[in-house]
Amino acid sequence: MYDLGPIAERRKEARNKLGITQRVAAKRCNVSLKTLKNYEKKGIRDILTLDKMCRCYGITINLRVGSK
C-alpha cells in the first residue's frame, strides 16, 4: 500500500522552496493549474504527470511499499 500524503506534501514543499506560485509551477511543468492544485491537495492521479511534476521541482518519486 502506498501512503500518498507525503508525496503531495513533498511536491508542495519543493514548489515553495523554489519560491514560485502554483500558477507559475503549472506553466513550468506544462500542466493545468487545476491539475497542479489537485495533485498538491489530493495526491496521485496519474504516475506520468506525477513524474513530470517531480522532475520540474527537482525531486524524485519515493514510494514506500508497506503492508497492512
Side-chain angles (χ1 to χ4, degrees):
M1 174 175 278
Y2 297 112
D3 182 2
L4 306 180
I7 296 169
E9 188 60 32
R10 280 185 36 228
R11 282 193 317 271
K12 184 175 181 178
E13 287 173 5
R15 179 181 58 77
N16 287 330
K17 284 182 183 179
L18 293 172
I20 58 176
T21 64
Q22 288 180 324
R23 186 175 306 281
V24 170
K27 193 170 198 169
R28 285 187 187 178
C29 297
N30 198 29
V31 297
S32 72
L33 179 58
K34 183 178 179 178
T35 295
L36 187 131
K37 286 181 177 184
N38 282 336
Y39 273 67
E40 284 191 3
K41 185 175 181 180
K42 300 176 185 174
I44 295 174
R45 295 274 191 232
D46 171 64
I47 195 74
L48 296 176
T49 302
L50 172 65
D51 181 58
K52 181 192 318 187
M53 291 172 64
C54 287
R55 288 173 187 252
C56 181
Y57 294 161
I59 61 175
T60 60
I61 299 172
N62 184 13
L63 300 175
R64 290 187 173 172
V65 178
S67 58
K68 283 196 169 188

